[in-house]
């Protein structure tokens, strides 16, 4: 084999980087949840947080050579699909009743 | 090779996530979220999770995000006003996010027994995954299908055109 190609294939990176990426993505999701003012975008930030957690699940599954971590991600995906369907239906219902998607104007249950 | 792929797709991932926060139109946010999810699928593949990479593209980037863009177009959502969030978010939220990130980064960086990932690692095949899923975890799997069924029924019941009262309400708001 070509020595440079072999070197490239053998290159390894620490799993810490994946976990840090996951942490940063999660925090960006929380930040989006706090600063976005559109109901749909707030919901997208929740999906971003779920994805960040999935990445750390896959990383730990790789670390311990365990299949169960990946199965957990599979279940999270299924629950996220169900959640997205119900959540978007609720958003459509809210839009019908209020004719707006701005979270500041949907505040009847707010303290 | 692994390093290059990781840097490219982690960079795409972070760019997409930051773009999601910066865009004011929901459709742009939805498209950048699709970028995030697709590059996460590549990262799953780098970690040897081939089934999850495929499922990520099909379920997340395919099904869920199509649903999102469809709802954005259906509701004809306009631009949002750019704010920094409510007062509670500014006072409690941002320090809390910074604290969470700091704590997580410290814990991750201080853990010593974490391994490495390379292109020659063992790949978890779909066969390995399904062997566990359909023997040890058969009941949770079947319960998930019931959950999906309930979600379908619930979303149809919620999104269906309501009774006459709501329709009058819509007419009034449109007339304003």
């Amino acid at each position: 084999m070509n020595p440079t190609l072999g070197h490239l294939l053998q290159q390894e990176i620490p799993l810490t980087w994946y976990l840090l990426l996951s942490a940063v993505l999660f925090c960006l999701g929380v930040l989006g949840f706090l600063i976005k003012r559109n109901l749909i975008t707030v919901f997208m930030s929740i999906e971003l947080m779920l994805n960040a957690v999935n990445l750390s699940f896959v990383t730990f599954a790789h670390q311990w050579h365990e299949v169960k971590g990946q199965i957990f991600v599979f279940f999270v995906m299924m629950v996220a699909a169900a959640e997205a369907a119900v959540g978007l239906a609720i958003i459509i219902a809210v839009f019908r009743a209020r004719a707006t998607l701005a979270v500041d104007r949907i505040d009847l249950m707010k303290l | 090779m692994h390093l290059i792929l990781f840097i490219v797709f982690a960079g795409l991932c972070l760019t997409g996530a930051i773009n999601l926060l910066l865009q004011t139109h929901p459709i742009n946010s939805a498209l950048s979220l699709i970028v995030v999810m697709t590059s996460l699928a590549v990262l799953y593949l780098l970690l040897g999770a081939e089934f999850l990479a495929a499922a990520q593209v099909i379920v997340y980037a395919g099904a869920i995000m199509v649903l999102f863009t469809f709802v954005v177009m259906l509701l004809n959502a306009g631009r949002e006003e750019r704010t920094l969030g409510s007062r509670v978010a500014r006072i409690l939220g941002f320090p809390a996010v910074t604290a969470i990130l700091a704590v997580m980064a410290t814990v991750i960086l201080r853990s010593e027994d974490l391994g490495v990932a390379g292109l020659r690692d063992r790949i978890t095949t779909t066969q390995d995954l399904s062997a566990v899923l359909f023997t040890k975890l058969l009941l949770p799997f079947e319960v998930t299908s019931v959950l999906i069924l309930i979600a379908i029924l619930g979303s149809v019941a919620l999104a269906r055109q309501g009774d006459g009262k709501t329709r009058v309400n819509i007419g009034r708001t449109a007339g304003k």
Side-chain angles (χ1 to χ4, degrees):
Chain A
M1 195 190 279
N2 187 342
T4 41
L5 186 65
H7 176 69
L8 278 177
L9 277 177
Q10 271 167 359
Q11 216 167 39
E12 288 175 327
I13 69 164
L15 287 178
T16 318
W17 294 13
Y18 282 99
L19 290 178
L20 278 179
L21 175 68
S22 153
V24 171
L25 276 183
F26 184 83
C27 287
L28 282 174
V30 177
L31 211 59
F33 187 83
L34 289 174
I35 67 172
K36 296 309 268 188
R37 297 289 90 185
N38 187 307
L39 201 50
I40 300 178
T41 331
V42 168
F43 202 48
M44 280 184 225
S45 311
I46 298 176
E47 296 291 327
L48 185 60
M49 285 191 258
L50 281 172
N51 270 285
V53 174
N54 280 352
L55 180 62
S56 56
F57 268 127
V58 176
T59 312
F60 281 118
H62 184 273
Q63 158 80 15
W64 306 117
H65 302 292
E66 182 68 63
V67 186
K68 278 182 188 146
Q70 296 195 12
I71 286 174
F72 224 105
V73 175
F74 178 73
F75 282 119
V76 169
M77 275 181 190
M78 292 303 120
V79 172
E83 176 229 335
V86 175
L88 288 171
I90 291 175
I91 288 177
I92 291 175
V94 165
F95 186 77
R96 281 225 181 94
R98 302 284 171 80
T100 181
L101 284 175
V103 284
D104 293 322
R105 261 168 258 151
I106 311 169
D107 54 359
L108 278 187
M109 280 175 74
K110 221 167 160 183
L111 281 174
Chain B
M1 199 64 182
H2 194 138
L3 182 72
I4 299 167
L5 284 173
F6 176 81
I7 288 173
V8 167
F9 285 100
L12 260 180
C13 214
L14 286 177
T15 320
I18 291 167
N19 195 35
L20 190 153
L21 297 190
L22 293 181
Q23 293 293 336
T24 51
H25 203 284
I27 195 81
N28 296 340
S29 298
L31 293 178
S32 45
L33 193 54
I34 293 178
V35 172
V36 174
M37 283 164 176
T38 317
S39 35
L40 272 179
V42 179
L43 292 182
Y44 291 169
L45 207 53
L46 286 180
L47 286 171
E50 57 166 22
F51 174 75
L52 285 181
Q56 173 88 2
V57 171
I58 295 171
V59 176
Y60 261 121
I64 295 181
M65 289 321 292
V66 165
L67 203 60
F68 267 96
T69 46
F70 187 73
V71 168
V72 170
M73 288 190 274
L74 178 73
L75 299 186
N76 199 9
R79 261 165 211 292
E80 61 178 326
E81 63 265 46
R82 193 188 289 267
T83 57
L84 266 179
S86 60
R87 202 157 46 89
V88 183
R90 269 200 303 275
I91 296 172
L92 283 177
F94 296 148
V97 172
T98 322
I100 290 173
L101 185 60
V103 168
M104 282 199 288
T106 322
V107 170
I108 291 167
L109 287 175
R110 284 181 63 180
S111 60
E112 281 156 4
D113 50 352
L114 277 174
V116 290
L119 280 185
R120 288 196 171 159
D121 293 343
R122 202 175 63 85
I123 286 180
T124 313
T125 57
T126 312
Q127 195 181 0
D128 300 336
L129 211 65
S130 51
V132 179
L133 193 60
F134 290 116
T135 53
K136 284 186 196 154
L137 296 169
L138 187 62
L139 182 66
F141 183 71
E142 296 296 338
V143 170
T144 316
S145 59
V146 178
L147 175 79
I148 297 277
L149 185 67
I150 294 171
I152 294 171
L153 293 178
S155 53
V156 169
L158 280 169
R160 202 178 55 184
Q161 193 76 37
D163 50 354
K165 214 173 65 189
T166 27
R167 235 174 269 153
V168 171
N169 209 349
I170 286 176
R172 212 174 52 215
T173 9
K176 264 183 204 167

